[in-house]
């Protein structure tokens, strides 16, 4: 099989997971890493086993050995890096959010369509085998018509005022912190599982810590709390949000997101209540899927390839009892993307498991509608796509 060359721009927390995931595919050449400086690019390339290190994303994009550009930079660089890669005719795998605003994302959707290359956004929770099993169950009518979708996505890594990240600076992270960063995953999953679209929202947002201690110098995401020199800075973006949603079918929903909820590490929970059965998945126990019944005992399905639908089967790689996890789901998404790249032009559509640039654009639209709703005092607001 022809080797496909990948290059990663931004190798902080999530960038190395992009590299690990594509390396597992077996036919991807890890060509280059671009960092925030020449020194950082070289050092990260050594650490990740890439052949070359660059101090500028344009140099990586211009490298003829790089066919697929992965964008794992802080949010404010997403549009510039992706746009430059598309202009050079490179395939792009962008981490979420696709861009800082819906308008920017829409521009990238159009540029991608003109470039005629393969493009994707990493809504990676879709790659979990039990998420796919649940999606198939819902699509087949096994739980009846979805009436109510609820859950949360809670974390605690910004609990203290000594916790700081570029995600809290609107110039670098965008107008939203919790909603854009993790609420976007929840909304994507709700729509992916049900096949429904969120059309109206009512949001209530809070900044629990309006002042934080920002360390001098830069730190990568999820690094330990500040200990050295700090500046006390005002925080304007939300670290907690409660949202009511309406879907295009008439189904209702509610979710909360927070980065200041002690004890919740990466606690993404989603439940779809259908006319006959409820189905729930919890990221921190991702090898289990709960089915709630009225007239018989509830069930918990432990992930086991022999019990999955045929469509979910390709996303499970270990026998029952062998736990599959976050990185495996991430790799599943990459496998579906690279299958299409490897097959060559004309590129067939991506599997529905892969988030598209349109999905990335829709995520921005939903977050913007929630912010508008909250700023208006919590009024129902249509999501304008
Ligand atoms: N899909 C997921 O589950 C998931 C998880 C975490 C992060 N993310 C997304 O990935 C992106 C990165 O997040 P992170 O947590 O890895 O952040 P991070 O701060 O840990 O890493 C960002 C990296 O980009 C580098 N960088 C900064 N400017 C650069 C430049 N001009 N050129 C090249 N590199 C540059 C930084 O030095 C750092 O190493 C964000 O957009 C975030 O939303 C997605």
């Amino acid at each position: 099989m022809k080797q496909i060359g990948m290059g990663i721009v931004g190798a902080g927390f999530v960038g190395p997971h992009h590299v690990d995931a594509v390396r597992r595919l077996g036919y991807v050449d890890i060509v280059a890493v671009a960092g925030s400086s020449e020194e950082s690019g070289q050092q990260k390339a050594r650490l990740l086993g890439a052949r070359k290190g660059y101090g500028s994303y344009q140099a990586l994009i211009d490298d003829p050995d790089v066919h697929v550009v992965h964008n794992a930079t802080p949010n404010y660089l997403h549009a510039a890096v992706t746009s430059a890669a598309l202009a050079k005719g490179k395939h792009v795998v962008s981490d979420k959010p696709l861009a800082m605003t819906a308008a920017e994302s829409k521009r990238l959707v159009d540029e991608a369509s003109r470039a005629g290359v393969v493009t994707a956004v990493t809504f990676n929770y879709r790659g979990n085998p039990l998420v796919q099993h649940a999606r198939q169950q819902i699509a087949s009518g096994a739980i009846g018509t979805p009436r109510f979708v609820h859950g949360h996505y809670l974390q605690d890594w910004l609990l203290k005022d000594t916790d700081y990240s570029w995600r809290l600076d609107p110039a670098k992270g965008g107008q939203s912190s919790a909603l854009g960063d993790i609420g976007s995953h929840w909304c994507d999953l709700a729509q992916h599982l049900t096949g429904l679209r969120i059309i109206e929202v009512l949001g209530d947002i809070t900044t629990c810590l309006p002042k934080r201690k920002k360390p001098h110098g830069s730190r990568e995401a999820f690094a330990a709390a500040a200990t050295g020199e700090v500046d006390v800075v005002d925080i304007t973006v939300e670290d907690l949000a409660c949202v009511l949603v309406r879907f295009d079918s008439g189904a209702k929903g509610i979710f909360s997101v927070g980065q200041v909820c002690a004890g919740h590490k990466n606690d993404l929970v989603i439940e779809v209540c259908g006319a006959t059965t409820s189905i729930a998945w919890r990221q921190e126990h991702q090898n289990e899927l709960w089915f709630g019944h009225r007239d018989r005992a509830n069930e918990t399905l432990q992930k086991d390839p022999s019990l999955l639908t045929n469509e979910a089967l390709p996303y499970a790689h270990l026998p029952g009892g062998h736990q599959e996890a976050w990185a495996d789901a991430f790799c599943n998404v990459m496998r579906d993307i690279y299958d299409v790249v490897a097959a060559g032009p004309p590129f067939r559509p991506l599997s529905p498991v892969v988030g598209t640039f349109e999905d990335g654009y829709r995520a921005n639209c939903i977050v913007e509608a929630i912010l508008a709703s909250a700023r208006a005092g919590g009024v129902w607001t249509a999501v304008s796509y």
Side-chain angles (χ1 to χ4, degrees):
M1 184 182 251
K2 181 174 169 286
Q3 284 264 312
I4 296 169
M6 80 84 86
I8 178 98
V9 185
F13 162 62
V14 86
H17 293 287
H18 284 245
V19 173
D20 283 349
V22 299
R23 182 170 270 135
R24 283 169 65 183
L25 304 182
Y27 58 89
V28 180
D29 179 15
I30 314 298
V31 176
V33 179
S36 53
S37 66
E38 204 68 42
E39 189 195 350
S40 150
Q42 299 276 349
Q43 186 219 4
K44 298 263 162 109
R46 272 194 305 278
L47 277 173
L48 295 171
R51 292 197 274 120
K52 312 173 205 181
Y54 291 115
S56 98
Y57 63 79
Q58 192 61 54
L60 178 142
I61 290 167
D62 289 342
D63 186 327
D65 293 345
V66 173
H67 308 120
V68 187
V69 175
H70 288 241
N71 187 354
T73 55
N75 300 354
Y76 75 103
L77 289 166
H78 282 198
V81 172
T82 294
S83 191
L86 292 172
K88 198 80 188 175
K90 303 286 166 106
H91 308 293
V92 179
V93 179
S94 171
D95 221 308
K96 41 60 57 179
L98 177 55
M100 292 251 275
T101 64
E104 263 184 4
S105 283
K106 180 74 179 72
R107 188 166 52 75
L108 295 177
V109 168
D110 295 341
E111 288 176 17
S113 130
R114 281 198 296 277
V117 292
V118 178
T119 53
V121 178
T122 48
F123 286 120
N124 38 292
Y125 295 110
R126 296 184 185 192
N128 178 277
L130 287 182
V131 166
Q132 287 311 311
H133 185 75
R135 189 170 78 90
Q136 298 299 331
Q137 293 290 311
I138 294 168
S140 72
I143 71 161
T145 304
R147 290 174 173 160
F148 182 47
V149 187
H150 66 99
H152 61 245
Y153 196 161
L154 306 178
Q155 300 181 330
D156 69 1
W157 69 291
L158 293 177
L159 180 70
K160 301 177 182 175
D161 71 355
T162 45
D163 297 323
Y164 188 82
S165 160
W166 55 259
R167 286 167 167 81
L168 296 161
D169 175 355
K172 295 199 166 153
Q175 290 304 310
S176 162
S177 178
L179 285 165
D181 198 37
I182 50 180
S184 54
H185 272 302
W186 193 94
C187 292
D188 178 76
L189 207 51
Q191 296 176 107
H192 180 66
L193 277 172
T194 59
L196 303 176
R197 183 139 315 158
I198 294 172
I199 54 163
E200 279 182 283
V201 293
L202 188 155
D204 180 41
I205 64 174
T206 310
T207 305
C208 295
L209 283 86
K211 290 197 185 291
R212 286 180 183 265
K213 296 179 179 123
K214 178 185 177 187
H216 291 184
S218 69
R219 275 191 313 153
E220 285 169 353
F222 312 112
T227 47
E229 295 275 297
V230 296
D231 292 321
V232 175
V233 294
D234 293 327
I235 303 295
T236 55
V237 291
E238 86 293 344
D239 46 28
L240 186 71
C242 308
V243 186
L244 290 168
V245 303
R246 291 176 177 154
F247 293 88
D248 53 355
S249 66
K252 302 295 169 72
I254 185 167
F255 71 96
S256 44
V257 291
Q259 296 158 315
V260 290
C261 301
H264 297 268
K265 305 303 172 185
N266 195 38
D267 192 10
L268 165 57
V269 175
I270 190 155
E271 178 171 327
V272 181
C273 301
T276 59
T277 307
S278 300
I279 195 163
W281 183 74
R282 181 169 205 169
Q283 198 283 141
E284 289 187 354
H285 299 268
Q286 61 183 274
N287 287 261
E288 294 176 359
L289 191 64
W290 179 84
F291 292 82
H293 304 291
R294 152 94 175 245
D295 299 320
R296 60 191 170 93
N298 298 336
E299 301 163 284
T300 300
L301 169 67
Q302 286 187 286
K303 186 225 66 182
D304 182 335
S306 68
L307 302 174
L308 297 181
T309 59
N310 283 337
E311 293 87 350
L313 211 45
Y315 301 94
H317 304 284
L318 294 167
H322 298 65
Q323 308 297 294
E324 295 185 52
W326 189 96
D328 302 295
F330 206 87
C331 183
N332 281 333
V333 170
M334 294 301 168
R335 184 176 296 105
D336 279 7
I337 298 167
Y338 274 75
D339 272 355
V340 174
V341 173
F347 297 109
R348 63 171 191 271
L350 289 159
S351 91
V353 174
V354 179
T356 61
F357 272 25
E358 286 81 2
D359 294 324
Y361 162 67
R362 282 192 279 274
N364 284 116
C365 295
I366 294 169
V367 170
E368 288 182 6
I370 297 169
L371 294 181
S373 162
R375 285 180 193 134
V379 294
W380 279 107
T381 302
V383 183
S384 87
Y385 291 113

